[in-house]
Amino acid sequence: MSYAGPEFDPFQPRRPRRRTLTVAVAVLVPAALAGWLVYEAVADTGGGRAGAAPATRSPAHSPNADSPTDDGGRTVAPPAPRPAPTAPAGTAAPAASGPLKGKVVVIDPGHNPGNFRHTAEINRKVDIGTNRKECDTTGTSTNSGYTEARFTLDVARRLRALLQAQGATVKFTQDGDRPWGPCVDERARIGNEAHADAAISIHADGASAGDRGFHVILPASVHAGAADTRPVVAPSRDLGERIAGNFVRVTGSAPADYVGGGTGLVVRNDLGGLNLSTVPKVFIECGNMRDTKDAALLTSGGWRQKAAQGISEGIVSFLRG
């Protein structure tokens, strides 16, 4: 999401290439297979589960739903199938037993890969309490065409797997399972109706080249129209501070040098996803897609796994108090 406003470059999709993991590696080096299975546990491919029999992609699988990709932007081919199409947005994903059992986390992958095809719909204004704003935007991209919408889905799926492994019930606002959107007011409503214990919207910024680093956006105290963030300002700040601290520790990334005064924290009152939330919620801009050094991180599958891990550990810290 561009910090400056809703104007972004057009979507430039790239056709991913698959690569396979040979059986020989799994036979000769059991440790490598074990490492792969650990990766599959944390790099969710939109519904796949390690350990099931191989199968082809379901014809009903949404063409907009990307799987986690490697450092070269190629889709990682899992040894296990995708058993079914992704559940509709707002539907709880299965949770395992663990320390977060009973906790609900809503993950909001920013934008949508199909938004650029539906400009009329996403340019429609919606009420965000303080004013009216575009339903959604296309998002930004790196100079090489790796889109924010693709990035956010990949990190969100990795984050979902990590939280599920600890027993949390995880819901998405969208999982590449709809042609566009949802609008920012609906994204907030999904978290509210889920009575989420924590909600996070994942983004990457489109600031000027040379601007680097991440920042977490916290809700301002807003009481206007349909918006009343007063009950969630304090817990949202706690959530945001924990995510920022863990993001630095796990990824090694520094707080943004162009906003937030070096704290990695920014308070805003112009984002419908925050203004309309009645549950603790923050946004995270994981880096600046327009800076070549940040873009090298954002396009790395290994770094995106670290990003998901850092966000996860911040959420876990918040939920466990």
Side-chain angles (χ1 to χ4, degrees), residues 49 92-98 100-103 163-170:
R49 298 289 187 272
S97 296
L100 297 186
K101 189 171 181 62
K103 299 294 186 181
L163 293 172
Q164 285 177 335
Q166 299 210 49
T169 296
V170 179

Side-chain angles (χ1 to χ4, degrees), residues 277-317:
S277 182
T278 59
V279 300
K281 183 175 182 180
V282 299
F283 280 40
I284 183 167
E285 301 278 3
C286 295
N288 177 20
M289 291 195 129
R290 290 304 191 180
D291 178 78
T292 55
K293 292 181 180 178
D294 270 11
L297 299 176
L298 297 167
T299 54
S300 163
W303 187 89
R304 292 196 299 274
Q305 187 62 39
K306 291 180 181 179
Q309 184 71 42
I311 295 169
S312 171
E313 292 187 13
I315 293 173
V316 170
S317 173

Side-chain angles (χ1 to χ4, degrees), residues 134-256:
E134 290 84 357
C135 156
D136 201 5
T137 67
T138 60
T140 188
S141 69
T142 66
N143 293 332
S144 63
Y146 182 69
T147 65
E148 181 183 1
R150 186 175 169 193
F151 169 83
T152 64
L153 275 174
D154 185 82
V155 173
R157 288 170 180 157
R158 295 171 188 268
L159 175 59
R160 172 173 59 192
L162 292 167
L163 293 172
Q164 285 177 335
Q166 299 210 49
T169 296
V170 179
K171 301 184 179 184
F172 272 28
T173 58
Q174 60 93 12
D175 196 2
D177 51 358
R178 53 189 295 167
W180 57 274
C183 294
V184 294
D185 55 344
E186 183 182 352
R187 290 174 187 264
R189 188 162 58 250
I190 290 170
N192 298 344
E193 292 177 351
H195 302 289
D197 296 287
I200 182 158
S201 188
I202 299 172
H203 290 267
D205 213 351
S208 301
D211 292 339
R212 295 201 63 194
F214 80 94
H215 62 281
V216 177
I217 304 175
L218 314 175
S221 182
V222 174
H223 185 209
D228 187 359
T229 63
R230 293 174 297 176
V232 298
V233 165
S236 294
R237 173 169 282 275
D238 184 22
L239 172 63
E241 290 175 346
R242 291 173 187 261
I243 289 174
N246 281 279
F247 199 84
V248 169
R249 180 178 58 81
V250 176
T251 67
S253 294

Side-chain angles (χ1 to χ4, degrees), residues 259-280:
V259 66
T263 65
L265 302 172
V266 175
V267 176
R268 291 178 61 174
N269 67 358
D270 62 330
L271 298 174
L274 295 181
N275 286 0
L276 300 175
S277 182
T278 59
V279 300

